[in-house]
Amino acid sequence: LEADDTGNRLRFQLELEFVQCLANPNYLNFLAQRGYFKDKAFVNYLKYLLYWKEPEYAKYLKYPQCLHMLELLQYEHFRKELVNAQCAKFIDEQQILHWQHYSRKRMRLQQALAEQQQQNNTSVK
């Protein structure tokens, strides 16, 4: 029973690490260029990994964009396009733009909240 737990823990860690690697478009390009996306067993494995979208598993992800990539990898057209390095580069650039926009928006929201708290503190006194 203990060996079972160890095996399950190891499998969880390996699948967690692999799913998060899917957030990297350059890694997806690497897999595509080596023909992994043409392998039925590998494509079935990608389908199996969709369980990571469930909240009880997704909470362990550091790179949630990997779930979006996992979803896109369910489509043959997307898998075929990833062979092209320009496709991977475009996805990479879009992710960077998204992170920059998110970071700026988050900073503005935090700044506005801090200003509001400061106003509330001065109006209470």
Side-chain angles (χ1 to χ4, degrees):
L1 192 66
E2 197 173 304
D4 236 13
D5 283 352
T6 304
N8 287 337
R9 193 173 10 259
L10 179 61
R11 179 176 162 189
F12 176 83
Q13 290 171 341
L14 290 172
E15 290 180 357
L16 172 63
E17 188 173 330
F18 177 71
V19 165
Q20 294 196 105
C21 286
L22 300 178
N24 182 341
N26 297 308
Y27 180 61
L28 297 179
N29 176 249
F30 170 87
L31 292 174
Q33 288 184 345
R34 279 149 189 82
Y36 283 92
F37 298 141
K38 294 177 183 171
D39 179 350
K40 281 267 190 250
F42 191 77
V43 171
N44 286 337
Y45 181 62
L46 292 172
K47 188 173 186 171
Y48 155 77
L49 291 173
L50 286 170
Y51 77 85
W52 282 97
K53 292 175 70 180
E54 298 298 323
E56 67 206 73
Y57 295 100
K59 68 183 178 185
Y60 295 103
L61 298 171
K62 288 184 183 176
Y63 309 104
Q65 68 273 24
C66 68
L67 294 178
H68 185 62
M69 292 298 161
L70 180 60
E71 187 71 39
L72 290 173
L73 286 167
Q74 304 304 310
Y75 298 96
E76 185 179 5
H77 180 73
F78 182 72
R79 295 191 303 266
K80 284 181 178 178
E81 287 297 319
L82 285 168
V83 173
N84 182 350
Q86 282 303 110
C87 176
K89 186 176 189 289
F90 176 76
I91 294 168
D92 196 34
E93 290 168 352
Q94 292 303 305
Q95 282 185 337
I96 290 169
L97 289 171
H98 177 75
W99 289 327
Q100 288 173 339
H101 172 74
Y102 173 81
S103 297
R104 283 194 297 270
K105 186 175 178 181
R106 184 180 170 112
M107 198 165 34
R108 283 195 302 267
L109 287 171
Q110 288 174 332
Q111 201 171 17
L113 183 62
E115 288 170 5
Q116 185 181 11
Q117 286 175 337
Q118 192 174 16
Q119 284 178 345
N120 289 346
N121 289 345
T122 47
S123 66
V124 169
K125 290 178 182 177

